[in-house]
Amino acid sequence: MMKILLVMAGGSLGALSRYGVSLFAVKLFGAKFPYGTLIVNLLGCFLIGLAFALADRGLGIMNPSMRLFFMTGYLGALTTFSTFGLETVNAFREGRYIVSTANILTNNVIGSALVFLGLVVGRLR
């Protein structure tokens, strides 16, 4: 039960952060480009890399509870792109180049195609 609460608490804060950053980005840069999404994706990628490195070094700051709260909950709600980036980089670091490349291609190309398909299906009458 505690694990679920940690993910929920982190997720709530991550979702609020995403919303706030998006509003701020539109106010600051306008709405011609999705700067808010770009900012949370890039920030999330940096933060998950930093958190993973700290956990990998065995520092107590990234204990299992903090990982659930921050990495799974907060960053998971802030951006799912950060998890995708971490998994892709880890596969590359482990020499699994095909997995890394396949992950990039399938997530981006097929993901975009499915967004398009969903739009088409959603417009059917």
Side-chain angles (χ1 to χ4, degrees):
M1 185 66 173
M2 186 58 159
K3 292 177 181 178
I4 292 171
L5 292 175
L6 286 168
V7 172
M8 286 175 55
S12 296
L13 292 174
L16 286 172
S17 296
R18 181 182 189 143
Y19 180 65
V21 168
S22 294
L23 289 178
F24 185 69
V26 167
K27 196 172 202 172
L28 196 61
F29 303 114
K32 292 184 177 179
F33 185 84
Y35 288 105
T37 302
L38 176 65
I39 291 167
V40 295
N41 282 339
L42 297 179
L43 179 63
C45 285
F46 172 75
L47 291 175
I48 202 166
L50 179 64
F52 188 81
L54 293 176
D56 207 30
R57 289 174 51 191
L59 299 179
I61 191 169
M62 273 299 152
N63 59 46
S65 294
M66 189 60 173
R67 288 179 76 161
L68 281 175
F69 171 79
F70 186 69
M71 292 174 74
T72 305
Y74 184 81
L75 293 178
L78 180 68
T79 170
T80 56
F81 195 78
S82 59
T83 302
F84 158 75
L86 178 63
E87 291 169 346
T88 301
V89 170
N90 278 344
F92 188 82
R93 287 175 51 201
E94 294 164 2
R96 298 182 300 140
Y97 306 115
I98 292 174
V99 170
S100 181
T101 303
N103 198 33
I104 291 169
L105 292 175
T106 55
N107 274 285
N108 288 296
V109 175
I110 296 175
S112 296
L114 288 173
V115 168
F116 180 74
L117 179 64
L119 290 171
V120 170
V121 170
R123 292 180 179 148
L124 292 177
R125 293 181 187 214

